[in-house]
Amino acid sequence: MGRMAHVVLAAVLAMAAAAAMVSASPAEGIQPLSKIAIHKATVDLHGSAYVRATPALLGDQGEDTAWVTVKYGWENPSADDWIAVFSPADFISGSCPNPRRNPDEPGLCTAPIKYQYANYSANYRYWGKGTIRFQIINQRSDFSFALFTGGFENPKLVAVSKPVAFKNPKAPVFPRLAQGKTHDEMTVTWTSGYDMDEAYPLVEWGMVAPGGGVRNPTRTPAGTLTFNRGSMCGEPARTVGWRDPGFIHTAFMRDLWPNKEYTYKIGHELSDGTMVWGKPYTFRAPPTPGQNSLQRIIVFGDMGKAERDGSNEFANYQPGSLNTTDTLVKDLDNYDIVFHIGDMPYANGYLSQWDQFTAQVAPISARKPYMVASGNHERDWPNTGGFFDVKDSGGECGVPAETMYYYPAENRANFWYKVDYGMFRFCVADTGHDWREGTPQHKFIEECLSTVDRKHQPWLIFAAHRVLGYSSNAWYAAEGSFEEPEGRESLQKLWQRYRVDMAFFGHVHNYERTCPLYQSQCVTGERSHYSGTMNGTIFVVAGGGGSHLSSYTTAIPRWSVFRDQDYGFVKLTAFNHSSLLFEYKKSSDGNVYDSFTVDRDYRNVLSCVHDSCFPTTLAL
């Protein structure tokens, strides 16, 4: 057989092996890093094996993202060999917190932050060498690249590269804007490697002047938080999934002029007085509550994160994540605020994934307030005071989500809050905690719904992660509920009494819209335009942000108006106090696939319908 034939055959074999890996990949919904039995890994470095990574210095121009070329090889290549990225670079030495490991046995203590099969490089099986490019973000430490054999079940480390590192691994990165507790307050949160005793965190900001430049720039100090391994509730977050989160800083920019454009940059003042700055960004201040202006809202859940270098994808975990992100980045000028209603990175106890998620959405969150809700993959863990006794958070029990992102809650451990944005009020609930009558959250929900002035803020929105309303998702249908147990039963009278326009949910990874509903009955036969007396709430599942898709029941309930098993998000556009446009857009192309309009006057909200008004009298 000639040399060219060998090359062709090797390529065919490599593609077949890769296909076999895909077909034998873990079930959908499994965190890819969890498939690596790192607690069983052994170290057996071979002189014939090598891994080389270039360049050694990353971000020498201040970049917070870089591509690294990794070349590797050894004399016994196999189909299940894989390349892992570790950070910090020295991942072999040190004691392991996992009590199941024999302390005398050489092994590894931490999972990688990403991986790729060695035969992703087509000629690896034939030549015993290959090349892969990885995208790396600044994560406060150096990196090394490792070659493993034995697959994921019995991994054996045979070669490690020399470290590579960013020029300033402690640099401030990935700003996250969020609206504060009042309409004239914007917060910015970011991550760095600087503790308070090393550098002073701050944000420099000011209004953009009409002719350009910044009017009266102000420096505002930031508070600093972090958490440690002991803050985690279980494995893998306490063991192989743990990675130091660095320091999380939040600053408050107050007394903003409504709708004015501001510029800002995050930074740290070092002990010698020099400054380390992040990149400059701009944002538009929120409108005042009730302000009559064009206001555009994005809503979705369950996006997750994905890798632009093709790594970590064999579990088919979050295939639509980048499409959603990229479509929203392209459309930045056409919306004002984002609500991501739970299940953010699906880190599931692998803490490195939170950094990667903040990096992925940074082009959005650095420019638009990025409001988040708590999902089951953020909070749920047994015996931690949550409503669900399941292990969906991988031992995080809410700590990373509650620290990495700001949200205007009275108590950050109780992930419920309200947001007034112009003509909208959003009441964001936390389905990780009990919402039933008599609970603190039920009291918050009623207070949030009842205190809005509907003549000035006509658009009242409820949002939560798990479906407390209606969904024809297959597993809900199998339970005979079309909802979370005890979901709408505890809340539907509040939605009706206070005339909630729409209730948004994630958790189910698809899109569905209902008719206006009360007590499981459609209150109108209209499907694309609603006007006149408001007598029911429209329920929307918008959980197709990017994670693996969920199937529907085959029977379509009468209340289900539109269903789509695809990736997408919702956009709400308020033109004024009486006109609203609802659009469902697919992430693949940004086009509209479902829509309706609402035209309504204030009197239509006041009109009494069933269970919406207290008894009245005609007595003089």
Side-chain angles (χ1 to χ4, degrees):
M1 186 180 293
R3 183 179 181 87
M4 184 57 68
H6 273 294
V7 172
V8 173
L9 177 60
V12 172
L13 289 173
M15 287 186 289
M21 291 294 180
V22 172
S23 64
S25 65
E28 291 182 354
I30 302 299
Q31 161 59 253
L33 295 176
S34 71
K35 303 310 297 180
I36 302 172
I38 203 70
H39 62 283
K40 295 168 58 178
T42 58
V43 179
D44 187 15
L45 300 177
H46 276 248
S48 64
Y50 65 90
V51 183
R52 303 186 186 104
T54 55
L57 179 64
L58 311 175
D60 58 346
Q61 300 299 314
E63 304 94 335
D64 50 36
T65 302
W67 285 88
V68 175
T69 299
V70 179
K71 296 184 178 181
Y72 52 91
W74 83 306
E75 61 187 9
N76 296 308
S78 63
D80 59 359
D81 294 351
W82 50 286
I83 300 290
V85 185
F86 285 90
S87 180
D90 182 12
F91 63 96
I92 301 176
S93 64
S95 60
C96 293
N98 189 341
R100 292 177 297 182
R101 174 173 291 287
N102 182 344
D104 298 325
E105 176 189 353
L108 308 184
C109 303
T110 182
I113 62 174
K114 61 168 67 179
Y115 65 84
Q116 181 56 276
Y117 285 104
N119 63 14
Y120 192 74
S121 183
N123 293 329
Y124 175 73
R125 288 287 311 281
Y126 177 70
W127 294 110
K129 58 184 179 180
T131 302
I132 296 177
R133 297 184 73 228
F134 285 100
Q135 187 183 55
I136 303 298
I137 65 168
N138 193 343
Q139 287 185 261
R140 303 170 304 285
S141 189
D142 53 4
F143 303 83
S144 61
F145 302 81
L147 174 61
F148 285 84
T149 189
F152 295 150
E153 290 298 319
N154 295 287
K156 180 189 295 185
L157 175 64
V158 296
V160 183
S161 75
K162 293 180 179 179
V164 304
F166 279 84
K167 184 176 181 179
N168 181 9
K170 293 186 175 184
V173 291
F174 314 131
R176 288 91 75 181
L177 294 174
Q179 188 167 317
K181 291 183 179 180
T182 59
H183 70 277
D184 59 352
E185 178 180 82
M186 189 73 77
T187 72
V188 59
T189 300
W190 70 95
T191 306
S192 86
Y194 292 114
D195 198 355
M196 285 290 290
D197 59 359
E198 297 179 273
Y200 193 77
L202 57 90
V203 59
E204 183 174 280
W205 60 282
M207 187 188 301
V208 176
V214 182
R215 180 185 296 170
N216 300 322
T218 300
R219 288 188 176 182
T220 300
T224 298
L225 296 173
T226 189
F227 53 91
N228 57 38
R229 192 190 299 266
S231 305
M232 303 292 97
C233 293
E235 295 186 46
R238 286 179 71 96
T239 56
V240 298
W242 170 255
R243 187 179 189 275
D244 191 300
F247 301 97
I248 317 303
H249 316 280
T250 299
F252 295 80
M253 298 173 279
R254 296 188 168 101
D255 298 323
L256 304 177
W257 290 30
N259 292 90
K260 286 289 188 179
E261 187 176 11
Y262 286 81
T263 184
Y264 75 95
K265 57 182 177 179
I266 54 177
H268 295 259
E269 183 179 5
L270 304 182
S271 57
D272 63 1
T274 60
M275 292 297 306
V276 178
W277 291 112
K279 301 174 184 176
Y281 296 96
T282 61
F283 68 87
R284 188 169 296 277
T288 55
Q291 181 177 313
N292 190 10
S293 59
L294 182 68
Q295 295 154 17
R296 303 155 300 179
I297 318 288
I298 298 293
V299 185
F300 62 86
D302 306 78
M303 185 167 74
K305 56 155 284 289
E307 299 290 347
R308 295 189 185 277
D309 55 23
S311 58
N312 292 21
E313 289 187 353
F314 292 92
N316 192 26
Y317 197 39
Q318 295 141 348
S321 173
L322 290 178
N323 275 353
T324 300
T325 302
D326 292 346
T327 298
L328 290 173
V329 170
K330 291 176 185 175
D331 204 37
L332 268 176
D333 293 335
N334 294 312
Y335 59 89
D336 305 300
I337 187 171
V338 173
F339 285 84
H340 185 158
I341 53 175
D343 283 6
M344 290 178 270
Y346 291 84
N348 292 12
Y350 292 89
L351 276 299
S352 63
Q353 308 302 284
W354 278 96
D355 286 319
Q356 294 177 24
F357 177 76
T358 60
Q360 179 174 310
V361 301
I364 304 168
S365 66
R367 294 279 312 280
K368 308 292 179 180
Y370 198 93
M371 314 306 298
V372 297
S374 182
N376 54 303
H377 287 278
E378 277 80 54
R379 177 64 177 81
D380 290 357
W381 192 257
N383 197 31
T384 59
F387 194 49
F388 294 90
D389 229 21
V390 294
K391 295 187 174 183
D392 294 353
S393 76
E396 295 179 11
C397 54
V399 175
E402 293 164 14
T403 309
M404 300 286 284
Y405 281 84
Y406 175 84
Y407 45 95
E410 293 301 321
N411 179 347
R412 297 288 292 280
N414 296 331
F415 217 126
W416 53 76
Y417 61 93
K418 70 176 175 69
V419 173
D420 289 317
Y421 192 87
M423 295 176 284
F424 289 90
R425 168 166 289 185
F426 277 81
C427 299
V428 181
D430 176 6
T431 54
H433 286 89
D434 197 344
W435 58 80
R436 293 172 297 180
E437 196 165 348
T439 63
Q441 181 164 205
H442 191 277
K443 180 180 178 181
F444 156 77
I445 293 170
E446 180 159 23
E447 183 177 12
C448 184
L449 298 177
S450 65
T451 55
V452 63
D453 180 355
R454 296 300 289 276
K455 62 180 171 291
H456 297 303
Q457 290 180 280
W459 312 116
L460 181 57
I461 310 295
F462 178 86
H465 180 66
R466 289 178 181 263
V467 179
L468 306 183
Y470 298 81
S471 166
S472 64
N473 168 63
W475 79 69
Y476 283 141
E479 294 171 354
S481 62
F482 293 108
E483 58 158 336
E484 287 294 335
E486 303 183 77
R488 59 178 177 268
E489 289 80 3
S490 301
L491 297 172
Q492 60 185 344
K493 285 190 176 180
L494 295 183
W495 295 328
Q496 181 76 350
R497 180 180 302 159
Y498 300 112
R499 310 301 183 80
V500 172
D501 291 279
M502 281 167 253
F504 285 93
F505 308 99
H507 196 55
V508 173
H509 301 169
N510 56 36
Y511 167 77
E512 185 167 23
R513 168 172 68 97
T514 74
C515 60
L517 275 168
Y518 183 51
Q519 294 183 334
S520 302
Q521 300 297 316
C522 294
V523 296
T524 176
E526 183 54 68
R527 301 168 73 91
S528 60
H529 179 76
Y530 302 101
S531 60
T533 301
M534 182 189 174
N535 51 10
T537 298
I538 296 171
F539 296 88
V540 180
V541 171
S547 192
H548 61 286
L549 294 171
S550 304
S551 58
Y552 299 98
T553 180
T554 52
I556 303 177
R558 284 179 296 178
W559 40 258
S560 183
V561 173
F562 192 98
R563 308 195 303 187
D564 187 39
Q565 190 181 18
D566 204 350
Y567 302 106
F569 53 90
V570 167
K571 181 178 181 181
L572 302 175
T573 303
F575 298 101
N576 49 51
H577 286 78
S578 59
S579 182
L580 178 75
L581 171 64
F582 173 104
E583 297 172 299
Y584 161 66
K585 298 186 174 189
K586 289 196 180 190
S587 301
S588 56
D589 56 18
N591 293 333
V592 177
Y593 287 80
D594 182 37
S595 66
F596 64 85
T597 55
V598 180
D599 287 295
R600 191 178 63 223
D601 293 328
Y602 179 46
R603 62 178 180 174
N604 301 134
V605 180
L606 295 177
S607 298
C608 291
V609 295
H610 186 65
D611 283 348
S612 71
C613 294
F614 292 101
T616 58
T617 178
L618 296 177
L620 297 174

